[in-house]
Amino acid sequence: MIQIFFAATQYAAATVTAAVRAGLFGPREGHRRLLVVSNTSAIPELTTPLDRMAGFEELRPEFDAVHSWNETIAPHHPVGWSPREQDLTVWERALRLAWDLGDGPVEIACESLQANPSRAAAEIFAESTIHVYADGLMSYGPTRDRLPGGIACRVARLLHLDLLPGLRPLLLSEYDVEAVPIPVETFLRTLSGIGAGAPPAPGRYTAVLLGQYLSALDLISEREEDELHARILRGAVAAGHTSVLFKPHPSAPVHQSRSLERAAAELGAELTVLGSPVLAETLFERDRPELVVGCFSTALVTAASFYGIPVARVGTELLLERITPYENSNRVPLTLIDAALPDLERDTEVVGKPPALTGELVAERLAPLIRAVGYCMQARAHPALRPDAEAWLTGHQAGPARYFKRRRLTSLRLPGGAPVRAEALRRHPAVRRIVRTLRAVRS
């Protein structure tokens, strides 16, 4: 059996490697395993490929061969390219020849099937079993778009990190896909091995600031993102951290760091910008910072859950207001961080203490909220969640309205929505169709 693993980031590669080491893909004997790496940054030529990053040698022994998706489909960009339907057979033959796959069955393990290169790979290997793995908080949200039947029926499992024990992933659940957690211990050992080969961070620091490059997602402007990073820095300094390290997003432009350096100079803080591609978790394990701050990065939860480091958030309320459409896959990670972690600028009395991301918090606060948000995001895919949404909204009429849009609640006829006027109801297309049908039957 040939197994092909697709990974676009070092964190993703570590996640799927941990799944392999945990035995979730069967024994080593009888399997030929290939790792296909892709660089999905805006300008791949200016960034370090995954298989050339420090620490990759820790992952390499699990695979019989490593191939570059960028080189395979050059000059196309991995995010923007997918094969034409009439060319799928040709591409499969070409890949089988180039990667020495033979004519036997193939299994693939990939990230989100909504986007390339995972979608392209699933279409090319049209008869393969598909294992989807999710390395972040998006696994707790619903599937963004409906999958074609020819792909959905081949998805065997969703492998995910158990970042919030007790919270069941919604991703792919409408297709009855089994959600399988990747053992945390195996994942942490894999990260530790990667970190052993990473270069040390320059300088000393007590707080880590996480950048996400949110302007690239069209959530906020570049100017607003610079101000968000400045707020994070000011909050960290106000909390007593005058020596901080900023870990920018790998795809972020250089001016982002320069803007933060100017803000640090005004505050009299010592700022170190991490220039090398190092996992945030490597910093957590090796340097044990006293505080980690960001907007809604998954690394905030790994710092708190896996390493017991105090964390705080900044800017989530602004993002909850701006994020569109309501079905945006970032909504659930954003909601989870906002609901579970302290606000650096407001909750000063608890900043500096490790948040208790316990089963009680998850069961009583997070799980009901996420089921309600998930239903509002994809009501047609998850009709069984409607009672949960009604219960949460009924019990939180005076609670945080930022998680829901009144227009969405109105359209779904949920508590908190605007009353439906008779005239508007008469004009509703669905009502008009029903009336026409009844009139046709009577006549």
Side-chain angles (χ1 to χ4, degrees):
M1 172 63 69
I2 295 177
Q3 297 173 326
I4 308 177
F5 301 86
F6 292 83
T9 65
Q10 194 173 41
Y11 192 84
T15 302
V16 78
T17 300
V20 170
R21 290 175 174 172
L24 297 179
F25 286 93
R28 190 71 177 88
E29 298 76 17
H31 292 92
R32 180 163 175 256
R33 291 170 174 155
L34 285 69
L35 178 65
V36 179
V37 301
S38 56
N39 188 336
T40 58
S41 60
I43 308 177
E45 294 79 8
L46 299 182
T47 56
T48 305
L50 164 60
D51 54 336
R52 297 180 193 170
M53 290 183 179
F56 179 75
E57 60 275 5
E58 162 66 15
L59 312 178
R60 182 64 178 82
E62 302 299 333
F63 306 99
D64 297 291
V66 177
H67 298 285
S68 168
W69 185 253
N70 292 60
E71 294 177 3
T72 300
I73 67 170
H76 303 288
H77 192 282
V79 174
W81 179 83
S82 61
R84 298 182 303 175
E85 185 176 357
Q86 59 266 38
D87 295 337
L88 292 176
T89 301
V90 174
W91 271 100
E92 181 178 2
R93 290 175 180 172
L95 293 181
R96 284 182 177 272
L97 180 63
W99 297 344
D100 192 24
L101 304 181
D103 298 324
V106 169
E107 287 184 339
I108 65 174
C110 58
E111 300 173 80
S112 173
L113 287 169
Q114 314 296 327
N116 292 315
S118 296
R119 184 62 168 266
E123 291 176 343
I124 291 172
F125 295 101
E127 297 181 359
S128 64
T129 298
I130 302 172
H131 305 275
V132 175
Y133 68 93
D135 57 13
L137 294 172
M138 281 190 183
S139 65
Y140 297 114
T143 313
R144 186 177 67 200
D145 301 311
R146 186 175 180 83
L147 295 177
I151 291 180
C153 67
R154 292 188 282 128
V155 180
R157 298 177 297 174
L158 169 68
L159 303 171
H160 68 98
L161 294 174
D162 204 10
L163 297 168
L164 294 167
L167 188 60
R168 182 179 180 273
L170 283 176
L171 184 65
L172 300 174
S173 61
E174 67 269 38
Y175 302 107
D176 294 325
V177 173
E178 179 187 12
V180 180
I182 299 171
V184 172
E185 298 78 10
T186 307
F187 177 65
L188 293 180
R189 284 197 300 270
T190 302
L191 291 181
S192 181
I194 294 175
R204 297 179 61 186
Y205 60 92
T206 59
V208 173
L209 316 183
L210 301 171
Q212 284 185 257
Y213 198 17
L214 301 173
S215 56
L217 302 177
D218 293 326
L219 298 179
I220 54 178
S221 67
E222 290 187 359
R223 182 176 179 179
E224 288 173 321
E225 186 161 29
D226 288 343
E227 174 56 26
L228 176 62
H229 289 147
R231 287 172 58 190
I232 292 175
L233 176 62
R234 288 195 294 267
V237 172
H241 300 276
T242 56
S243 297
V244 299
L245 181 141
F246 177 59
K247 184 186 182 304
H249 188 278
S251 302
V254 175
H255 77 78
Q256 193 177 85
S257 300
R258 291 174 179 168
S259 174
L260 198 60
E261 288 172 346
R262 290 193 295 269
E266 295 174 0
L267 293 169
E270 182 182 350
L271 174 71
T272 300
V273 177
L274 188 64
S276 56
V278 175
L279 289 174
E281 288 72 17
T282 295
L283 304 175
F284 303 158
E285 180 185 34
R286 185 181 59 197
D287 300 336
R288 294 290 172 174
E290 298 174 14
L291 179 67
V292 177
V293 189
C295 187
F296 65 99
S297 170
T298 295
L300 290 169
V301 177
T302 61
S305 295
F306 296 164
Y307 299 95
I309 298 173
V311 296
R313 59 178 171 84
V314 173
T316 52
E317 291 188 13
L318 171 65
L319 270 295
L320 283 167
E321 179 185 335
R322 294 290 186 83
I323 188 171
T324 56
Y326 194 84
E327 298 86 351
N328 191 310
S329 296
N330 288 293
R331 182 173 298 280
V332 164
L334 184 55
T335 300
L336 282 169
I337 294 295
D338 184 88
L341 304 184
D343 186 298
L344 181 65
E345 298 169 315
R346 187 180 63 238
D347 305 322
T348 54
E349 70 281 358
V350 296
V351 169
K353 302 176 182 178
L357 301 181
T358 61
E360 181 179 355
L361 169 71
V362 171
E364 295 184 3
R365 286 179 48 194
L366 298 184
L369 171 60
I370 294 306
R371 286 196 294 269
V373 172
Y375 174 75
C376 291
M377 290 175 66
Q378 298 291 345
R380 291 184 179 181
H382 297 278
L385 295 180
R386 183 176 180 88
D388 297 278
E390 291 175 338
W392 196 96
L393 291 164
T394 300
H396 294 80
Q397 289 293 333
R402 58 184 178 273
Y403 302 134
F404 302 92
K405 299 298 183 183
R406 193 177 190 194
R407 184 175 181 180
R408 176 59 57 115
L409 297 179
T410 301
S411 66
L412 293 174
R413 308 295 186 263
L414 287 170
V420 180
R421 297 179 180 178
E423 183 61 29
L425 188 61
R426 285 194 291 269
R427 292 198 303 267
H428 195 282
V431 175
R432 294 173 69 87
R433 284 196 299 270
I434 293 173
V435 170
R436 286 196 298 269
T437 301
L438 291 175
R439 287 174 177 171
V441 171
R442 289 178 180 176
S443 62

